[in-house]
Structure formats: structure tokens, C-alpha cells
Amino acid sequence: MQQTRQTKQRKIILEKLRKVHTHPTAEEIFQMVLPLLPKVSLATIYRNLEFLEKQGEILKLEHKNNESKNRYDGHTEPHRHLICKKCGEIVDISCCCCCQMNKKDLAKYGFTVDDGFIEILGLCKKCSHK
Amino acid sequence: MQQTRQTKQRKIILEKLRKVHTHPTAEEIFQMVLPLLPKVSLATIYRNLEFLEKQGEILKLEHKNNESKNRYDGHTEPHRHLICKKCGEIVDISCCCCCQMNKKDLAKYGFTVDDGFIEILGLCKKCSHK
DNA sequence: ATTCTTATTGCAAATGGTTCTCAATAAGCA
DNA sequence: TGCTTATTGAGAACCATTTGCAATAAGAAT
Ligand SMILES: [Mn+2]
Ligand SMILES: [Mn+2]
Ligand SMILES: [Zn+2]
Ligand SMILES: [Zn+2]
């Protein structure tokens, strides 16, 4: 396998992403790192996000709910996402005992489930009141 | 509100989608109806899928896992989807007691959850053996 | 330190699923 | 049977993401 290099771009992208508790898009991450990397390209953001996801350093949320943009998560500890079908808001919730139950149930189907990858789509408080 | 018309296209798209137990893409649905609607346009497929989803007649699966295409489900009875992170395979599973538990847990967050919209991402049998 | 290899970058163009525009068609009420 | 207008077909537009390529720079070798 080929060597990997620790670039300024890669380092800063990961740092910024870990610092926030939101789930920004590639474009938003681009804006976040711009002050530190004035010449960075959006393609570099995409390439590094892909790299970091493959390394297991970040999560890629591929549910295009409201909009068609992917979102990224710098926090990889097991948790679930509530995604509002209407406004797209993403809420982190910690894993409950349910996960274990699911895993057992899912074994029947030969499915291996990572707790981090259960997404629950519904309506957020604000949206369900309209 | 404006009236809706029952067109040949809309009728056939829904019929075909209900008949299969897979989760086809717009393009695949286009191919499915082509024998019956030789002049149909892909735009018409998209427009009707959007219409039917808004009516609650079908489900739109917006998880672009492997590929970036949406998939559609003609079966709206409550069930969950197992989606393979690797090959993209989608498996239907019936709702277990878990759903109820989730709902209670989720009330804390002010989230309204539709059982049909819990997607579980993992690895299918085939892919987890590689 | 300096050289060298090649992973990575910035820029621009390409890609591809989906949406939009608009004139023509046809569903279905009067 | 006419009339209104929702819907269609064809193609262009959109836009998030990916890719090609020459220039740059990480970091191993010297
Ligand atoms: Mn999260
Ligand atoms: Mn299904
Ligand atoms: Zn909302
Ligand atoms: Zn698989």
C-alpha cells in the first residue's frame, strides 16, 4: 500500500470538523477552513473528507433529506441521528439499549450493523408543530 | 387546491412499482414502464414519483449509499430497510417491538417518528464475508 | 542539509442524477 | 362536444461531486 502524507490541509480540516458539534456540508467546511487556508480548493476538501472517512476518522452522512448535499461528522463515537424530513435538522442522540436488540434481530438477516449507522427520519419539534 | 388528473402514465408507474418487491431507481422504473408507454419521458417518471410520494402512495428512499440515485418503494406498510454500505443492497424487514421503544425514547427530543423511516446501514451477508 | 520520489494540491472541466422550461397534449368538468 | 388547465415529452439547465493535469510539497533516502 502507498504511504500517506500529513498535509496542512488534511490536518486543519480534521481539526475544524472535530471542534464543531454540527454536521457541516463540504461547502461549509470549506468556509470554516478558509481563514487558515486562503488558497484551499473545494476539491481538496472533498478529497480529504473521503480520505478521512476511509480512515475511520470521520463519518459521512449520506442522507439527502431536504437538500442533496452530504454532511460530515467529526465525532465517531457510537450515536444515532435524528433527521428532520422537513427542515433537515440533524440531532445527535446517544445509543440506547435498543441497539443491542436490533443487533440480535438483525443477525437473522446476516446483517452486521454498526451502531453509528442507524438513521431515524421524522419531524423535529418545530416542524411537527406546523 | 388544484384538481389532479389520473393519467395513463401515473397509473402505470404506480402499478408497476407496486408489483415488484425491489426498490428501483427512477431509471429502472423508466425501463419497466417503457413497453407499456413507449413515448414516456424520464422527466415524467420523476414528476410522477414526486407526486405519488407526496400523496403517500409510495416511499422515496433518499439514502445514497453506494450510488447517488434515489430509490422508490411501492409498499408503504410500516417496515424498515437494511442498506448494505458496500453493495447497496436493500432488504425489507418487518417492524419489531423496537419501534415502540424508539418512539417513547424519541418523545424526549420532541421527535415524531414514522416507522417506515428508520434506515439501518450495515453490511449484507455477502459483503460481510469478504 | 540537499536531493528525489510521488502523494497531494489548485484549478478547471467533466460527470450524472435530478429539475426546469415551454410548447403540445389530453383529462375530465361544464 | 367544447373548454380549461394539469400533465406531458424533449431538451436544456442545474449543481453537488468527481476527475484530469501540471505544479507543489511531504518526507524518505542520500
Ligand atoms: Mn453526529
Ligand atoms: Mn421496502
Ligand atoms: Zn424540522
Ligand atoms: Zn452488500
Side-chain angles (χ1 to χ4, degrees), chain A residues 78-80 93-102 115 118 120, chain B residues 98 101-102 105-106 108-109:
Chain A
H79 65 288
R80 295 178 176 188
I93 60 171
S94 60
C95 262
C96 65
C97 52
C98 249
C99 296
Q100 302 314 316
M101 190 181 292
N102 270 330
D115 291 342
I118 296 177
I120 303 172
Chain B
C98 250
M101 189 180 294
N102 271 330
D105 290 341
L106 298 172
K108 288 195 300 235
Y109 299 91

Side-chain angles (χ1 to χ4, degrees), chain B residues 27-90:
Chain B
E27 176 64 37
E28 287 167 349
I29 294 165
F30 177 67
Q31 295 301 331
M32 286 159 64
V33 302
L34 214 44
L36 292 170
L37 301 167
K39 314 202 60 166
V40 76
S41 152
L42 188 51
T44 297
I45 305 293
Y46 276 109
R47 277 184 296 231
N48 277 303
L49 290 172
E50 190 192 354
F51 177 95
L52 291 167
E53 194 220 351
K54 288 222 175 89
Q55 299 288 310
E57 304 262 35
I58 66 173
L59 303 177
K60 187 178 183 183
L61 309 184
E62 305 190 89
H63 210 288
K64 48 173 176 182
N65 193 31
N66 221 5
E67 56 199 10
S68 55
K69 298 167 192 164
N70 291 324
R71 292 187 166 271
Y72 298 87
D73 192 334
H75 302 273
T76 54
E77 62 280 5
H79 65 289
R80 295 178 175 188
H81 292 122
L82 300 179
I83 305 174
C84 180
K85 293 277 293 174
K86 210 172 196 175
C87 72
E89 185 188 356
I90 300 177

Side-chain angles (χ1 to χ4, degrees), chain A residues 106 110-118, chain B residues 63 65 81-89 119-125 127-128:
Chain A
L106 298 173
F111 239 77
T112 307
V113 175
D114 176 343
D115 291 342
F117 291 105
I118 296 177
Chain B
H63 210 288
N65 193 31
H81 292 122
L82 300 179
I83 305 174
C84 180
K85 293 277 293 174
K86 210 172 196 175
C87 72
E89 185 188 356
E119 294 178 355
I120 303 172
L121 310 179
L123 288 177
C124 77
K125 199 170 222 159
C127 288
S128 57

Side-chain angles (χ1 to χ4, degrees), chain A residues 84-89 123-128:
Chain A
C84 180
K85 294 277 294 174
K86 210 171 195 174
C87 71
E89 185 188 357
L123 288 177
C124 77
K125 198 169 222 159
K126 209 164 44 175
C127 289
S128 58

